[in-house]
Structure formats: C-alpha cells, structure tokens
C-alpha cells in the first residue's frame, strides 16, 4: 500500500523525507541550545514588551514561508523568552527540568502519534500502558485487582477519582445511577472532605461534577500543615448527624505549597467507620516512593481507594504525564461506553482492549512510554538519588533560613518545598520576588496565615548548597535595597 504523492514535510517511508526530517531535528536542537544563554531561568523581559514582540509574529500567511524561516523567527522571538526549566535559578513551582531520555520518548510518541483510545490506534501503546499501570499499582502498594489509567495531569486524575467515588456511593448507598440519570435528588447533601490547603482542583472537580464548591468541606490543618484528624472526624460526624452525605475524603501526600503529608492511615479509619472513599492526592509526593530514605513518608498511599500520581513533577518527565490508580478496577467503569465505531464489545472479548473505557479522554497521548523509558534508563536507585537530593536541599535551605534572624520560616519541610519570608512585611517580600524575576531568578510566592511568603520548590537535582547560599544572600541584599529605597 504505497502512496505515490510525497509531501516533503509529512513523515513517511521515503528516505528523502527522513533525511530532510533528520536535518530539521538537528536545526531545531541547535536553535534550542543557542537559546540556553547564561544559565539564568528567564530573560527578565517585561510582559508588555514581550506581548508586542509576540503579536508581531503574524498569524496565518497566505503562502507558507518554509520551515527554516519559521524556525528563525521562533528562535528570535519565542525561545529567548521561554522559561528555562533546567536552570537551577528556577525554583517556584512543581514544574521541573526534564530527563533527556524522555525528550527522546516524546520524539517517538510524536513520530508514531498512536492514540490510547482503542487497541487498533495503539497496539503496543495500549499493552505498554496496561503493563506500566500494573507495575505502578504494585510500586505504590495497591493490592491485586487494582487498576488505573494515564491522564493529562493531577487535576484530571483528581476529578476522575472524585467522580468514580461519587458514582459508586450513589449507586451503592442511594440506589441511584448517576451515569444514566444524572445527579440524585439529594445531590446538594453530598460532601467531600479535604484540608484547607489541599489543591484547588478539588473545588474545580466538585463544580464540574455538578456539586459545586459547597460540597467541599475544608478541614483545618495542624501546625505541620497536615489534616487535623480530630477535626475531620468531628466534621464528618456532625454532618452525618444533620443528614448530609459524606462520601469521600482526600489525603494529600505533599501539599502544593508546603509539601506536608496528611496522616492517611488515621483518615482511613474514619472513612471506614462512615463508609467513605479515601482518595490520595500524591501528585507531588508520589516521587518519594523511589527513595530508600524517605519512601516511608508516603507509604500510606497503599491504604487509599484511589491515588493521583504525577510524573511531570518530582519524576522530572515532560508535561504531561500523570495517572490515576484505583484499588478496585470496577471504580473506573463509570467511564465505560461502547461506540460502534470505536470499541465494540465483541473485539474486547477477543483481547483487543480499548482504554477509552477507563478514561475521561478519547484521543489520548502515549505518555506511558516516558515512564517506561525513564524507569528502565535510571532504575529505582537512579530516581532515588534525584529525590534524595531534592529533599536534602530543602532541609538545607530550611536549616539556613530558620536559624537566620533576617527570616521567618514557619514550617519544617517533609518534602522539597520551603516557605519563608524576609522580616519586614508583605510589600518587601513581593518586591524582592519581582526584582529576582527581572534578574532571571524565578522563585514562588504564597500566603501563610495571612502573610506573604517566598516559596521554593526544589526539584532540580543539579542545585547545590552553594546555589542555595547564593540565592539566600541575594534575597537578603535585595531586602536591604527594597527596604531602604
Ligand atoms: C500539582 C498538583 C495538582 C494538579 O496537578 P496538575 O498535573 O497540575 O493538573 C493536584 N494536587 C496537588 C497536590 C498538586 O501539587
């Protein structure tokens, strides 16, 4: 089945096309490397200035300009002002540098462009994802009979879990089929429990699921920024006594700002007493499982009914790469749907599994390849070293600032996030962060107990203690400059 026409820019078996593409990849990499510049994380350009440049690029020319001209414009206008995630001066978010072997995976993923919805759109892709999901359930301590699916990110993994939990609760406890009939008459009584500092995707998920923000009960946290378990139990008991329907709780393994880890084992006991689903949001903390030293801190992921794991955070894989894992494979059946054109029942009976039946998405990327290639390339000990470095860097940074009279550091880190402030007030801290950004050093900012804080999320294993010392010194200097204008 050989075509006769050959588009020179459409991947095919033509050797000319392949040679041309090889050259394009080489040129693209050269452009990328030329833009690495001085090691800083950001050019420091002002947003209005950047908007002007970008708007000058044009949209859709009547006639194509050819790849070289476009690459040149891209290198000139866009690449210099992209965020350079590999820079050790980049430390604000759960947003990581990427492992080069997984950039190669991305190239494979794009070249083949297989899709995860049906077996005939990705035969080996389907089988590898299934195999990786089985491995992951074991890695995170879930028993046989568990299952999972790759997703676009932690937010989608979380909404998947909450939807599965809600649908099961309605079916088993209220005798109501949400998939067929929509929300039950008593839907306004459904309640989800999660800490006041858990990820906002819980609120968004509740909204998308038709229950609104009102269904999300925020549990206060203790001095270590973990769910106050006694308060959680009280809230559930009071709500149940007043006729509300507590159906789900969320334990966060690594809160987005502080990296704090909830006591999922204690929460499990309360959930069991009240017939509730326990979801573990380990979008951040899942990486710790690779560490011999710190893996214990997240081992209670194994007591959860569902778990969110992100590979585009601590695991340093390119965006996007995430999974939802469930203790009971049937939980994901809420997504089952048979379309005549896509996933016929008779094919599935013959072993042609179609993953669309477990996912919110239809067309879906083969992200599992990145996990496979990175796991095999580095092994668990290779990842363990990356994680240990991140955790130990955070401990070092915390140790420095907590002993320093110029700073306040309210929470000792359990993972790789440190939140602290210069003494001198909110405005001073805001100014210092902006000044650093303009210099190309990107740090985060959040609020703790009503006070503006500087936030560091240390994921880059190339960051050294000297690098940490340098940024602390720079913050101190800027603090003096901004404080005494
Ligand atoms: C990052 C994060 C999320 C959201 O994940 P995305 O991959 O950004 O959608 C959810 N929960 C926690 C705790 C997170 O840190």
């Amino acid at each position: 089945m050989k075509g006769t026409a050959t588009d020179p820019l459409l991947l095919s078996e033509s050797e000319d096309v392949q040679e041309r593409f090889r050259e394009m990849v080489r040129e693209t990499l050269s452009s990328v490397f030329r833009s690495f510049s001085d090691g800083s994380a950001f050019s420091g350009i002002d947003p209005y200035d950047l908007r002007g440049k970008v708007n000058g690029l044009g949209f859709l020319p009547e006639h194509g300009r050819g790849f070289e001209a476009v690459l040149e414009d891209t290198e000139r206008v866009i690449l210099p002002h992209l965020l350079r995630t590999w820079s050790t001066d980049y430390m604000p978010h759960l947003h990581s540098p990427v492992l080069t072997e997984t950039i190669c995976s991305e190239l494979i993923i794009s070249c083949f462009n297989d899709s995860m919805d049906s077996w005939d759109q990705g035969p080996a892709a389907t089988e590898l994802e299934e195999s990786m999901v089985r491995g992951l359930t074991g890695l995170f301590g879930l028993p046989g009979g568990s299952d999972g699916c790759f997703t676009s990110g932690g937010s989608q993994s979380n909404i998947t879990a909450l939807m599965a939990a809600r649908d099961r609760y309605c079916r088993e406890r209220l005798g109501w089929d949400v998939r067929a009939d929509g929300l039950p008459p008593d839907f306004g009584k459904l309640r989800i429990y999660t800490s006041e500092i858990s990820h906002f995707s819980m609120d968004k998920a509740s909204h998308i699921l038709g229950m609104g923000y009102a269904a999300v009960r925020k549990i206060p946290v203790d001095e270590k920024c973990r769910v106050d378990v006694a308060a959680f139990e009280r809230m559930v008991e009071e709500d149940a006594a007043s006729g509300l329907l507590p159906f789900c709780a969320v334990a966060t393994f690594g809160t987005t700002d502080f990296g704090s880890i909830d006591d999922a084992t204690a929460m499990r006991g309360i959930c069991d007493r009240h017939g509730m689903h326990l979801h573990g949001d380990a979008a951040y903390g899942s990486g710790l499982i690779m560490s011999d030293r710190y893996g214990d801190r997240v081992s209670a992921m194994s007591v959860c009914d569902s778990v969110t794991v992100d590979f585009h955070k601590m695991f340093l894989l390119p965006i996007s790469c995430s999974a939802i894992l469930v203790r009971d494979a049937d939980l994901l059946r809420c997504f089952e749907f048979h379309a005549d054109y896509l996933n016929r029942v008779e094919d599935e009976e013959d072993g042609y599994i179609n993953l669309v039946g477990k996912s919110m998405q239809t067309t879906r990327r083969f992200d599992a390849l990145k996990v496979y290639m990175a796991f095999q390339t580095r092994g668990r000990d290779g990842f363990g070293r990356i994680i240990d470095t991140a955790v130990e860097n955070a401990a070092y940074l915390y140790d420095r600032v907590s002993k320093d009279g110029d700073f306040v550091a309210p929470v000792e880190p359990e993972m790789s996030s440190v939140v602290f402030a210069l003494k001198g007030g909110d405005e001073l801290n805001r100014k210092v962060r902006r000044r650093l950004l303009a210099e190309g050093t990107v740090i985060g900012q959040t609020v703790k107990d009503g006070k503006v804080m500087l936030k560091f999320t240390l994921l880059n294993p190339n960051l050294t203690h000297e690098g940490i010392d340098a940024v602390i010194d720079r913050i101190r200097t800027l603090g003096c400059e901004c404080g005494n204008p």
Side-chain angles (χ1 to χ4, degrees), residues 94 153-156 158 199 201 252 254 256 281 283-284 310 312-313:
L94 283 162
S155 303
Q156 192 187 48
N158 284 340
H199 195 261
S201 52
T252 307
T256 310
D281 181 359
Y284 180 8
D310 263 4
H312 55 219
K313 290 180 173 172

Side-chain angles (χ1 to χ4, degrees), residues 43 62 69 187 191 246 282 286 314 318 324 341 464-465:
S43 66
E62 188 56 29
F187 78 89
R191 290 293 179 274
S286 43
M314 281 202 119
I324 176 70
Y341 82 92
T464 59
H465 289 184

